């Protein structure tokens, strides 16, 4: 054995794909006899070194495919005869480490905010050679190889270099480019081979059920310019249309629309309906369509069936060009257990907690991110930044926040572990959410965070530096449950449930709220919105119209899941299009028109939006007329803007001469009537205007005797307003 020859044990480890430091053997190595190049190419018939001086055969020194030759001059290429083809390429093991010391330092600290452009697969040119740098965090693996369609999925071909200080493996593979399909092959700490793993930081994934990652020209996906910062969001009209991309509308042969096709149809629909934002159920790559995206594995990759990443980025840009904001549902709480995913990624509980009492979500059969680990927090923070910066999304709606905040969430008393103080609060998750809000505010000013949080946890929308979680808005799940429960009751019994419509105002200003009628209310046997309404068909439509108008005038930003605006009878099915044919029927078209008009009225009247989170923007006028199921309230805008009076009559009884207090006398215009004929109603009302007399009522200086149509909501504004 010469001085430069590797030890037989090292060769055996390399041949058996168990060597943890392949760069110590492969590539060029200096010795007393000069430079020797080694290449391990299983299956190659012959290999030659190609330099400017010519070609030199390499000697087979191990039958499994280890070749060796002295190098006369650099640089060199490897000419590989595979039998059916000859390949000429640079040697991956001739390239130096590419991740810089700053990258490694930030990764080790868990503060690398550009992790999506550091780890994963990134095409680049190194020393004049085009290829792809692969990098993967897997600190407990004994060996990691990148495998793909460029190396026959052979884990012996491209074992990677471990950067010990950060637990990151890397390799530059020359002459690989965008479109290549790849995964990672890992040996666990015991030396056992794991199932092939997809890249956690991949920017593109194969269409399920395939599970590979795809190399993307990440440098070509340029971050869009930041949008101008709007006024404080709580002072703006925000009306959100929640959409599942695969089932909003289907194309030919009942196929889901692509990102491009969706942009052609969805954007004009949303803007024509007056919505300010579209919110997509999670678009992050997920293995099972029936999860609707709420069990994602690709936290950096748009879901593949709808098109490549650049098309999704273009969809958001087109939304912005049309004046439509984009909200993305984002899931940092848990992930599915698929073998190719994050579960026991390097043979250990790397992304999840090791103890199932902390790491397994019993309701959803998923694994819970270990947010006490800095690298896991870094991974998720990097994902959030990726969607807001690289794709230009305007907001993230964070899913399942309640499940993150409490260690005993949906667990029996003996199936959870208290925090260090003996309490039930998940201190690590709380800290993560606070860090998330701080990072987004600093790195992505003007972008919003919205919490789906269903408990009374205090300070969800208080700034993190003031002890809150730092969200901009919180879904008001209590309001949704109470009001829907009320509306589902037969009107004859509503007098006993009056608080369902009024209780929300007790806490309406404790947080900055968004009122949601989301997808969760029209699945799993809950039926549709119109289907929840009591009575015959006429009453069902009237109830729905009155309820939507109540929602659009109540303090809080608005969110409606697709299909609610056309009064779809059928419960939502993620594999079917909405029932757009219903719009051929006047009653369904009437609900759609009502919602369009509500959006326009809401956006044009400061009284309905500017003080949504300020008690000065609301006053009860009729609070306790439960016997008639009537309620009325005033909405106020900033100084000088006209107020609006909202009156709801939630029984089918037409009430005439019903006196309601007003802040001043004169002519008040009936700006909206949910019973109007154009919406499918009976067209009862006040002839478009009322005269308020200087007759005090309900603690106000003036009042008017109104006609209240059955099952209706009216909006009155001063005539000059």
């Amino acid at each position: 054995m010469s001085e430069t020859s590797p030890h037989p044990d090292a060769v055996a480890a390399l041949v058996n794909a168990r060597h943890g430091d392949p760069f110590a053997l492969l590539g060029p190595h200096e010795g007393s006899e000069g430079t020797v190049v080694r290449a391990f190419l299983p299956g190659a018939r012959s290999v030659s070194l190609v330099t400017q001086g010519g070609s030199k055969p390499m000697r087979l020194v191990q039958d499994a495919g280890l070749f060796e030759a002295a190098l006369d001059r650099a640089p060199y290429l490897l000419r590989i005869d595979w039998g059916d083809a000859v390949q000429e390429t640079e040697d991956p093991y001739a390239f130096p480490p590419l991740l810089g010391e700053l990258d490694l330092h930030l990764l080790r600290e868990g503060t690398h905010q550009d992790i999506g452009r550091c780890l994963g697969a990134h095409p680049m040119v190194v020393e004049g050679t085009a290829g792809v740098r692969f990098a993967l965090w897997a600190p407990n693996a004994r060996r990691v190889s990148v495998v793909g369609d460029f190396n026959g999925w052979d884990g012996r071909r491209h074992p990677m270099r471990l950067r010990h200080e950060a637990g990151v493996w890397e390799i530059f593979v020359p002459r690989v480019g965008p479109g290549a399909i790849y995964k990672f092959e890992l040996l666990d700490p015991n030396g056992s081979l794991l199932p092939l793993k997809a890249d956690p930081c991949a920017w593109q994934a194969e269409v399920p059920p395939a599970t590979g990652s795809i190399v993307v020209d990440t440098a070509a996906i340029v971050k869009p310019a930041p949008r101008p910062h709007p006024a404080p969001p709580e002072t703006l009209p925000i009306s959100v249309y929640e959409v599942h991309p695969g089932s909003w509308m289907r194309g030919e042969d009942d196929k889901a629309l692509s990102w491009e096709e969706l942009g052609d149809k969805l954007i004009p629909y949303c803007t024509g309906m007056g919505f300010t934002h579209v919110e997509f159920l999670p678009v992050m790559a997920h293995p099972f369509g029936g999860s609707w995206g709420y069990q994602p594995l690709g936290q950096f990759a748009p879901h593949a069936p709808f098109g490549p990443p650049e098309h999704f980025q273009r969809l958001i840009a087109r939304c912005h060009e049309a004046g439509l904001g984009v909200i993305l549902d984002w899931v940092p709480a848990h992930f599915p257990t698929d073998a190719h995913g994050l579960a026991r990624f390097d043979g250990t509980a790397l992304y999840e907690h090791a103890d199932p009492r902390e790491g397994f979500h019993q309701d959803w059969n998923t694994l819970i991110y270990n947010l006490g680990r800095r690298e896991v927090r870094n991974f998720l923070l990097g994902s959030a930044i990726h969607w807001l910066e690289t794709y230009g999304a305007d907001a993230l709606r964070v899913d399942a926040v309640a499940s993150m905040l409490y260690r005993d969430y949906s667990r029996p008393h003996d199936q959870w572990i208290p925090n260090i103080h003996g309490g039930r609060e998940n201190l690590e998750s709380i800290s993560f959410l606070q860090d998330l809000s701080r990072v987004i505010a600093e790195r992505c000013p003007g972008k919003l965070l919205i919490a789906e949080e269903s408990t009374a946890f205090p300070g969800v929308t208080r700034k993190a530096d003031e002890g809150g979680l730092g969200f901009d808005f919180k879904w008001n799940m209590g309001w949704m449950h109470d009001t829907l429960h009320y509306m589902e009751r037969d009107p004859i019994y509503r007098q006993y449930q009056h608080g369902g419509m009024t209780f929300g105002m007790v806490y309406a200003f404790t947080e900055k709220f968004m009122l949601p009628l989301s997808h969760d209310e029209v699945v799993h046997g809950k039926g549709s919105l119109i289907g929840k309404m009591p009575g015959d068909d006429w009453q069902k439509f009237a109830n729905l119209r009155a309820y939507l108008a109540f929602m659009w005038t109540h303090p809080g930003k608005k969110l409606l899941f697709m299909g609610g605006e056309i009064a779809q009878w059928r419960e939502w099915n993620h594999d079917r299009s909405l029932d757009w044919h219903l719009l051929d029927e006047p009653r369904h078209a009437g609900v759609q028109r009502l919602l369009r008009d509500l959006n326009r009225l809401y956006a044009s009247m400061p009284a309905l939006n500017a003080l949504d989170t300020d008690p000065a923007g609301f006053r009860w006028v009729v609070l306790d007329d439960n016997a008639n199921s009537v309620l009325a309230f005033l909405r106020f805008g900033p100084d000088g803007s006209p107020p609006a009076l909202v009156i709801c009559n939630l029984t089918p009884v037409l009430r005439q001469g019903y006196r309601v207090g007003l802040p001043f006398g004169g002519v008040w215009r009936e700006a909206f009537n949910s019973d109007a004929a154009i919406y499918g109603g009976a067209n009862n009302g006040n002839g478009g205007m009322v005269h308020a007399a200087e007759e005090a009522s309900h603690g106000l200086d003036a009042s008017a005797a109104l006609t209240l149509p059955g099952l209706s909501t009216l909006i009155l504004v001063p005539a000059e307003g």
Side-chain angles (χ1 to χ4, degrees):
M1 184 171 65
S2 72
E3 180 183 336
T4 58
S5 297
H7 192 279
D9 290 347
V11 172
L14 182 72
V15 167
N16 293 313
R18 296 185 176 278
H19 201 294
D21 185 13
F23 282 82
L25 277 73
L26 302 178
H29 291 271
E30 298 294 332
S32 59
E33 300 174 2
T35 301
V36 173
V37 174
R38 296 188 200 92
F40 184 49
L41 297 163
R45 288 190 175 182
S46 63
V47 183
S48 299
L49 280 184
V50 180
T51 67
Q52 289 184 345
S55 174
K56 174 193 290 188
M58 298 183 74
R59 180 170 58 94
L60 181 65
V61 296
Q62 213 286 342
D63 288 343
L66 181 62
F67 295 85
E68 181 181 276
L71 179 64
D72 299 326
R73 65 168 71 178
Y76 67 92
L77 299 175
L78 300 176
R79 182 177 293 151
I80 309 163
D81 183 354
W82 295 106
D84 57 352
V86 175
Q87 176 189 13
E88 198 166 278
T89 182
E90 293 77 10
D91 183 358
Y93 297 93
F95 292 92
L98 297 181
L99 288 174
E101 292 303 317
L102 179 60
D103 282 325
L104 296 173
H105 172 74
L106 295 176
L107 288 169
R108 184 172 63 250
E109 275 195 339
T111 58
H112 201 306
Q113 295 184 1
D114 287 312
I115 192 171
R117 293 185 180 268
C118 175
L119 300 183
H122 297 278
M124 58 184 61
V125 176
V126 178
E127 298 177 355
T129 299
V132 175
R133 185 197 70 199
F134 297 92
L136 179 75
W137 179 59
N140 304 306
R142 285 180 55 175
R143 187 263 299 168
V144 177
S145 299
V146 61
V147 297
D149 54 6
F150 48 85
N151 63 12
W153 300 90
D154 188 338
R156 299 171 296 173
R157 288 278 306 280
H158 290 110
M160 302 167 75
R161 169 192 277 121
L162 175 61
R163 309 299 299 276
H164 291 271
E165 57 269 53
V168 172
W169 301 76
E170 69 162 338
I171 192 172
F172 177 73
V173 182
R175 305 200 185 195
V176 173
I181 302 172
Y182 69 100
K183 286 186 179 181
F184 294 105
E185 181 181 279
L186 296 85
L187 292 185
D188 72 10
N190 299 316
S192 298
L193 196 64
L194 296 171
L196 293 182
K197 295 287 189 177
D199 182 359
C201 294
W203 285 33
Q204 186 174 358
E206 286 189 287
V207 176
T211 57
S213 303
I214 300 176
V215 176
V216 171
D217 187 0
T218 52
I221 301 181
V222 180
K223 298 177 183 178
R227 301 181 76 197
H229 296 173
E234 63 267 22
T235 68
L236 298 174
I238 296 179
S239 177
V240 182
Y241 189 52
E242 190 189 29
V243 170
H244 177 254
S247 60
W248 177 72
M249 184 178 290
R250 308 283 279 194
E252 293 184 6
D253 301 322
D254 199 36
K255 291 182 179 178
L257 300 180
S258 68
W259 296 128
E260 292 180 310
E261 293 168 331
L262 199 62
D264 293 340
K265 298 180 182 296
L266 178 63
I267 294 172
Y269 181 78
C270 288
T271 56
M273 285 293 295
F275 289 102
T276 64
H277 292 72
V278 60
E279 177 174 331
F280 291 112
L281 273 61
V283 301
M284 298 78 195
H286 46 279
F288 174 54
S291 77
W292 316 326
Y294 289 102
Q295 294 192 12
L297 281 178
Q299 288 284 21
F300 293 79
H303 197 44
F306 305 132
E310 58 269 25
H311 288 184
F312 180 64
Q313 187 192 56
R314 176 59 186 153
L315 171 63
I316 294 180
R318 291 175 65 187
C319 287
H320 290 166
E321 290 165 5
L324 189 65
V326 177
I327 302 170
L328 302 181
D329 280 10
W330 183 63
V331 187
H334 62 118
F335 58 91
T337 59
D338 298 64
H340 71 281
L342 302 179
R344 297 193 65 81
F345 191 83
D346 62 1
T348 68
L350 191 63
Y351 287 88
E352 69 271 35
H353 295 271
D355 191 322
R357 292 175 297 173
E358 294 183 284
F360 187 74
H361 201 297
Q362 299 174 339
D363 288 355
W364 303 318
N365 293 321
T366 53
L367 297 170
I368 300 170
Y369 284 106
N370 180 1
L371 294 174
R373 185 162 192 164
R374 61 182 182 272
E375 298 94 340
V376 176
R377 293 164 72 106
N378 196 180
F379 171 74
L380 290 170
L381 287 170
S383 168
I385 291 171
H386 180 70
W387 296 104
L388 295 173
E389 280 195 350
T390 300
Y391 289 99
D394 300 283
L396 297 177
R397 176 271 204 183
V398 182
D399 181 65
V401 171
S403 75
M404 300 173 69
L405 295 178
Y406 297 102
R407 287 174 163 267
D408 63 344
Y409 181 87
S410 194
R411 289 181 181 275
H413 69 90
D414 59 346
Q415 291 296 312
W416 62 280
I417 300 175
N419 63 33
I420 58 173
H421 304 300
R424 59 192 286 259
E425 296 81 9
N426 191 321
L427 303 180
E428 294 81 9
S429 290
I430 292 169
S431 171
F432 165 76
L433 293 170
Q434 291 174 325
D435 283 350
L436 173 68
S437 68
R438 291 188 188 102
V439 168
I440 297 306
E442 179 180 344
R443 178 79 182 245
C444 310
K447 308 287 188 175
L448 304 182
L449 285 176
I450 303 165
E452 185 218 15
E453 204 285 307
S454 56
T455 75
F457 189 92
V460 172
T461 57
R462 190 186 310 138
K463 291 182 179 179
D465 292 341
E466 299 173 0
L469 296 183
F471 285 90
D472 295 282
F473 293 104
K474 169 183 171 173
W475 275 19
N476 195 336
M477 310 293 280
W479 175 91
M480 178 272 297
H481 284 298
D482 289 346
T483 58
L484 269 182
H485 179 68
Y486 176 93
M487 294 303 299
E488 288 171 353
R489 304 285 289 181
D490 188 297
I492 197 171
Y493 299 116
R494 284 178 178 170
Q495 60 181 310
Y496 308 112
Q497 302 286 332
H498 197 68
M501 297 297 273
T502 62
F503 181 69
M505 289 311 304
V506 172
Y507 59 88
F509 304 111
T510 59
E511 301 277 5
K512 299 174 184 177
F513 281 120
M514 180 173 285
L515 310 181
L517 290 177
S518 75
H519 64 280
D520 280 329
E521 310 320 313
V522 292
V523 291
H524 300 320
K526 295 179 183 178
S528 62
L529 285 183
I530 186 72
K532 296 178 193 297
M533 301 297 119
D536 58 21
D537 282 1
W538 185 91
Q539 290 194 17
K540 286 180 181 294
F541 278 92
N543 271 303
L544 180 60
R545 293 192 304 265
Y547 181 47
L548 290 173
F550 168 74
M551 174 180 174
W552 251 251
T553 54
H554 191 284
K557 309 309 177 186
K558 324 301 176 189
L559 179 140
L560 181 68
F561 184 59
M562 62 183 202
E565 82 281 11
I566 63 172
Q568 176 165 301
W569 290 109
R570 178 178 54 83
E571 183 176 272
W572 173 55
N573 181 336
H574 66 273
D575 285 328
R576 285 182 57 182
S577 169
L578 296 183
D579 295 333
W580 294 107
H581 63 275
L582 293 175
L583 292 176
D584 294 335
E585 299 181 25
R587 294 176 304 175
H588 294 274
V591 174
Q592 185 190 49
R593 180 169 183 172
L594 171 132
L595 201 24
R596 181 174 64 243
D597 288 352
L598 282 172
N599 271 332
R600 291 172 177 170
L601 196 64
Y602 167 66
S604 66
M605 292 184 60
L608 296 182
N609 61 67
L611 298 181
D612 260 338
T613 62
D614 187 337
F618 181 90
R619 175 179 171 170
W620 281 115
V621 178
V622 179
L623 170 63
D624 56 0
D625 188 6
N626 55 303
N628 292 310
S629 298
V630 171
L631 54 91
F633 51 87
L634 282 163
R635 295 295 310 275
F636 300 97
D639 291 342
S641 60
L645 177 73
V646 180
I647 317 101
C648 300
N649 175 18
L650 298 174
T651 68
V653 178
L654 175 68
R655 305 192 185 280
Q656 295 180 320
Y658 191 98
R659 185 160 294 277
V660 176
L662 288 163
F664 48 82
V667 179
W668 286 68
R669 179 169 57 89
E670 194 175 67
F672 176 86
N673 180 349
S674 70
D675 193 49
I678 57 174
Y679 306 138
N683 217 32
N684 293 313
N686 298 278
M689 64 178 58
V690 299
H691 293 268
E694 301 294 337
E695 180 180 339
S697 182
H698 300 105
L700 295 167
D701 293 338
S703 63
L706 304 178
T707 296
L708 305 184
L711 298 173
S712 71
T713 295
L714 308 179
I715 304 174
L716 300 182
V717 298
E720 64 272 16

